[in-house]
Amino acid sequence: MTQTVSALIVAAGRGRRFGGSLPKVFLDLCGEPIFVWSLRAFARVPQVSRIVLVVPEDHLSLATNISREQQLDTPWQVIAGGERRQDSVRAGLRAMAEDPPDIVAIHDGARPLVTPEIIAESISVCAEHHAAIACVPLTDTVKSFADDPDTSPERQPSSLPGSPVLSVVETLDRSKLRALQTPQPCDYPLIVAAHDAAIRLDLEVTDDASVVEAYGHPVVASVGSRDNIKVTQLEDLAQAAWLMGRRRGAATSSPIRIGHGYDLHRLAPGRPLILCGIELPHDAGLLGHSDADVALHAVADAILGAAALGDIGQYFPDTDPRYENAHSADLLAEVVAMAADAGWSIGNIDLTIIAEQPKLSPHRHDMIHSLAAILGVPPSSISVKATTNEGLGPTGRAEAIACHAVAALIPNEEPTS
Ligand code: MG
């Protein structure tokens, strides 16, 4: 029989250890409040049919608004927590009492890097053993210490001034030790009974597995992850952001795509010379079906190349009368939209224009700004270089202007993780 599972995300800590007026779990991590990442992870676990989020009472409406913005498929509710963590957990358990689940997966809202896989694994361990806890093996050797009144501070130069002198009591068997994380799923009736008993016995507990242990029921380990860190200090937030960024990068097969484009157009007297979308003073212009902006054509091909979408001849054939005297800027804007539809944004563009005449350096600034405006990127993302061909070949004889372009594309910002 499939068991029903509710998630209980505890985000009621005042924890203003970073300063500021917002509780810790409301701080931004990669564009979202920390607790939102847990909401999303649980919403992606098919077994989880309801999510209860517990927050400080004075942040109830803010948390509700933020949760609503997520448009989660899983039903959710936000409730007010209590003074201590265990009071908040009890409030969450009470909120489920009318329609109790078989299993409740309790999770710390300050662990934003939990994954649907870790959650699902802990639930399946719980389904078999009634109480589970996500955890990871230790990599450091762990020793227990005790105050040693017989050892003088002078003989322990590594001791910090004023700190008690500690001596090793024993080296613990690392293979039997685990660092504890959440989720900590448990059978609903069991965790309710265990918390009730803790209240009767006036037990102060910091995690739910301890409540179940104290109640005399075994708790079984499930596989957590080293990345599933708890954001407690400011350094944790930086590390969480780094881990999140790495995870997003890994989700894309290739985080950056490079494309190259090349084009050449003949120069003809009496034509306007359009380069990078602007007209430059010259006695000759480029010959072509469109405005023959050789720079924009090369850039368009570089972008299409990076996105593996073909080339501009395929989309804007010079046999099509629609593109006669077309503004290449309009065509390039269409190419940018096509790349965006395929999931790509412009990272940067570098181009080299090969022209004997006119001298391009006085127009470099205007060309960069024009290209940036067409592409919708900052000018700092655009590089325009110019060179001659030393008098050699058609470009060297000023019969043509050519352009090479390189485009780097980056994945569009994902609306979800
Ligand atoms: Mg062309």
Side-chain angles (χ1 to χ4, degrees), residues 262-265 287-290 292-298 301 312 318 328:
Y262 169 77
D263 197 19
L264 178 147
H265 280 261
L287 202 55
H289 188 61
S290 64
D293 189 329
V294 69
L296 296 193
H297 294 180
D301 260 353
I312 51 170
D318 57 12
S328 299

Side-chain angles (χ1 to χ4, degrees), residues 11-27:
R14 301 262 149 204
R16 290 175 178 138
R17 271 170 265 192
F18 304 152
S21 59
L22 274 180
K24 188 177 62 185
V25 293
F26 284 74
L27 295 183

Side-chain angles (χ1 to χ4, degrees), residues 2 63 234 367:
T2 313
L234 199 55
M367 289 194 286

